[in-house]
C-alpha cells in the first residue's frame, strides 16, 4: 500500500482535493486499495478552504508517515503565513519520503523550507516571477505543467495538479493504468510535464459551438493544408461567413490562429520527441524545415533548434 499525505493550510485552494480522485480511481482500476490518502494540517482538526469548505485533518506529528507528501497552495502565496510546524515537518520528512510534492503555490512552502534550493521547480504562472525573485537559488520553470527533479515534484496551478497526480499513478502502476484512470475521469488528454502552461486554444476562447468544432477539427488535422474552405465546411458555414464569425469571436484571422496551433503542436513535439525537424514540420503542417524555423522565430523569437537544445541541457 502506498500512503499519501496531503498537508492543508488555512485558506488552501479547494481544487487541490480534486487530485485525490486520481488516486481513488487508480484503486478502482487495479481492484485493490493501492493508495491510502489522508489529510493533515499543522494543528489538526478542521481546516477551512478558500471557498469556506471545512475539511477534517490529522495533526502533523513526529510519527506521521507517508510515502508521498503533497503540500497544497493558497490563492495569495505572498500573504500566506506558513505555520512553523509545517515547515519543520517538511524539512524532516523530505529525506525519508519516497516523494515530496506541491500543487500550485504549495511550491512556496517547499521553497520556504529550503527543499527547492538548487532544484528545478514550477508553480502557477501568475506567481512564478515572485518565486524566482524571492528564491533565486531555484531554477523556476514558469512555463511547465509540472516538474520532477529527483524525489521533488511540483506542479503549475489548478488543474495541473491532476496531471501531476496522474503522472504519479503512471510512475507507480504503469501507463495503461494511468490511461484508464484518465478515461474514467473524462480528462480531455493526459498532459506531459513538459507541456506549456500556455494554451493557444484557451487564448482563442471561441464563443460558439461551430467555431469550437472548427478549431477542434484543425487541432486533429494539423498535418493537412487546412484551408478556410475546410474549416468552414466543418463548421457548416460558408467560407465568407466563417471568416467573419471566426474573427469576431477570437480576435484573429483563421490563418493566424491555425499557425498558432501549429506552433504549439510543433514546440510540444520538439520538447517531447527526438524526431528530426523535417518530421516535426510535416506532422504539424509546415511546408518544410525552413518554413518551421521562420514561423518559430516569428512566434517565439527563437529557432526550433534552440528549444531542443534547451530541453537536452535541462535533461
Amino acid at each position: 500500500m502506498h500512503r499519501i499525505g496531503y498537508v492543508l493550510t488555512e485558506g488552501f485552494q479547494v481544487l487541490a482535493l480534486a487530485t485525490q480522485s486520481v488516486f481513488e480511481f487508480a484503486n478502482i482500476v487495479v481492484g485493490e486499495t493501492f493508495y491510502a490518502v489522508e489529510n493533515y494540517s499543522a494543528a489538526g482538526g478542521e481546516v477551512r478552504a478558500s471557498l469556506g469548505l471545512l475539511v477534517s485533518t490529522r495533526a502533523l506529528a513526529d510519527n506521521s508517515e507517508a510515502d508521498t507528501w503533497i503540500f497544497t497552495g493558497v490563492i495569495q502565496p505572498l500573504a500566506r503565513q506558513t505555520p512553523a510546524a509545517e515547515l519543520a515537518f517538511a524539512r524532516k520528512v523530505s529525506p525519508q519520503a519516497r516523494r515530496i510534492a506541491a500543487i500550485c503555490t504549495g511550491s512556496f512552502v517547499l521553497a520556504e523550507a529550503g527543499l527547492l534550493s538548487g532544484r528545478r521547480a514550477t508553480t502557477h504562472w501568475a506567481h512564478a516571477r515572485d518565486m524566482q525573485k524571492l528564491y533565486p537559488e531555484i531554477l523556476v520553470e514558469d512555463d511547465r505543467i509540472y516538474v520532477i527533479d529527483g524525489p521533488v515534484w511540483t506542479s503549475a496551478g489548478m488543474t495541473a495538479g491532476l496531471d501531476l497526480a496522474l503522472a504519479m499513478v503512471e510512475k507507480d502502476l504503469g501507463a495503461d493504468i494511468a490511461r484508464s484512470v484518465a478515461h474514467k475521469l473524462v480528462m480531455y488528454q493526459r498532459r506531459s510535464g513538459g507541456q506549456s502552461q500556455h494554451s493557444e486554444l484557451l487564448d482563442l476562447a471561441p464563443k460558439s459551438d461551430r467555431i469550437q468544432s472548427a478549431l477542434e477539427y484543425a487541432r486533429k488535422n494539423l498535418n493537412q493544408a487546412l484551408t478556410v474552405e475546410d474549416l468552414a465546411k466543418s463548421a457548416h458555414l460558408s467560407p465568407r461567413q466563417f471568416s467573419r464569425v471566426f474573427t469576431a469571436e477570437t480576435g484573429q484571422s483563421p490563418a493566424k490562429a491555425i499557425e498558432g496551433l501549429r506552433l504549439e503542436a510543433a514546440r510540444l513535439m520538439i520538447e517531447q520527441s527526438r524526431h528530426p525537424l523535417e518530421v516535426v514540420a510535416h506532422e504539424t503542417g509546415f511546408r518544410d524545415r525552413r518554413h518551421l524555423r521562420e514561423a518559430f522565430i516569428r512566434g517565439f523569437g527563437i529557432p526550433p533548434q534552440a528549444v531542443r537544445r534547451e530541453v537536452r541541457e535541462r535533461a
Side-chain angles (χ1 to χ4, degrees):
M1 181 182 296
H2 188 99
R3 297 160 299 173
I4 299 181
Y6 277 72
V7 182
L8 311 181
T9 304
E10 193 72 16
F12 74 92
Q13 216 294 315
V14 71
L15 190 57
L17 296 181
T19 61
Q20 296 183 4
S21 293
V22 173
F23 304 115
E24 176 187 9
F25 275 82
N27 288 343
I28 293 173
V29 170
V30 298
E32 61 177 299
T33 306
F34 181 85
Y35 292 107
V37 179
E38 288 197 80
N39 294 317
Y40 292 83
S41 65
E46 290 187 330
V47 177
R48 189 178 299 274
S50 56
L51 192 60
L53 175 71
L54 290 174
V55 178
S56 179
T57 65
R58 296 180 58 183
L60 293 173
D62 290 341
N63 61 350
S64 298
E65 293 184 356
D67 301 289
T68 295
W69 289 101
I70 299 179
F71 289 77
T72 57
V74 297
I75 294 177
Q76 296 296 335
L78 298 185
R80 173 180 188 161
Q81 295 295 320
T82 307
E86 185 174 330
L87 294 173
F89 183 81
R91 297 185 187 104
K92 174 181 177 294
V93 300
S94 179
Q96 303 169 4
R98 177 183 171 193
R99 286 185 295 237
I100 188 163
I103 295 174
C104 192
T105 60
S107 300
F108 279 80
V109 177
L110 302 189
E112 190 175 352
L115 303 182
L116 300 183
S117 297
R119 293 188 180 275
R120 297 163 45 242
T122 193
T123 190
H124 192 290
W125 61 264
H127 302 289
R129 186 172 297 177
D130 290 329
M131 173 174 277
Q132 189 66 86
K133 184 177 179 180
L134 286 171
Y135 305 101
E137 69 280 6
I138 303 172
L139 179 57
V140 179
E141 300 191 7
D142 60 357
D143 197 30
R144 292 291 175 266
I145 296 296
Y146 60 84
V147 171
I148 304 171
D149 190 328
V152 180
W153 298 46
T154 52
S155 84
M158 309 307 176
T159 58
L162 293 168
D163 299 291
L164 181 78
L166 198 60
M168 290 181 178
V169 170
E170 181 169 353
K171 180 73 172 177
D172 298 337
L173 297 169
D176 289 342
I177 298 298
R179 276 192 294 269
S180 181
V181 171
H183 181 67
K184 289 183 179 298
L185 291 175
V186 199
M187 293 178 69
Y188 178 65
Q189 65 180 47
R190 293 195 310 123
R191 300 183 294 180
S192 69
Q195 187 163 337
S196 173
Q197 293 188 40
H198 171 80
S199 169
E200 193 69 29
L201 277 175
L202 188 61
D203 277 357
L204 291 171
K207 299 178 179 62
S208 68
D209 290 342
R210 287 185 173 185
I211 302 303
Q212 288 177 3
S213 296
L215 284 171
E216 183 61 19
Y217 170 82
R219 189 186 67 79
K220 292 179 178 178
N221 295 277
L222 288 177
N223 61 339
Q224 305 299 319
L226 292 177
T227 64
V228 170
E229 288 75 17
D230 293 332
L231 298 174
K233 184 177 180 180
S234 71
H236 305 291
L237 295 170
S238 69
R240 183 177 180 180
Q241 188 180 15
F242 173 80
S243 294
R244 178 177 58 79
V245 174
F246 188 97
T247 303
E249 290 194 16
T250 68
Q252 295 185 22
S253 68
K256 184 175 181 181
I258 296 307
E259 181 172 282
L261 292 177
R262 293 192 196 281
L263 281 173
E264 184 175 71
R267 180 167 185 166
L268 185 61
M269 194 172 176
I270 288 169
E271 290 177 338
Q272 296 183 354
S273 76
R274 296 184 179 181
H275 292 305
L277 293 182
E278 290 82 358
V279 174
V280 174
H282 178 268
E283 289 298 316
T284 54
F286 293 98
R287 291 191 303 273
D288 50 31
R289 177 173 177 158
R290 181 178 179 179
H291 185 206
L292 172 65
R293 186 178 189 278
E294 291 172 350
F296 241 75
I297 293 175
R298 184 166 58 246
F300 300 126
I302 57 174
Q305 295 91 334
V307 174
R308 177 152 285 173
R309 185 165 55 250
E310 178 186 343
V311 171
R312 287 174 178 170
E313 290 173 354
R314 198 162 56 231

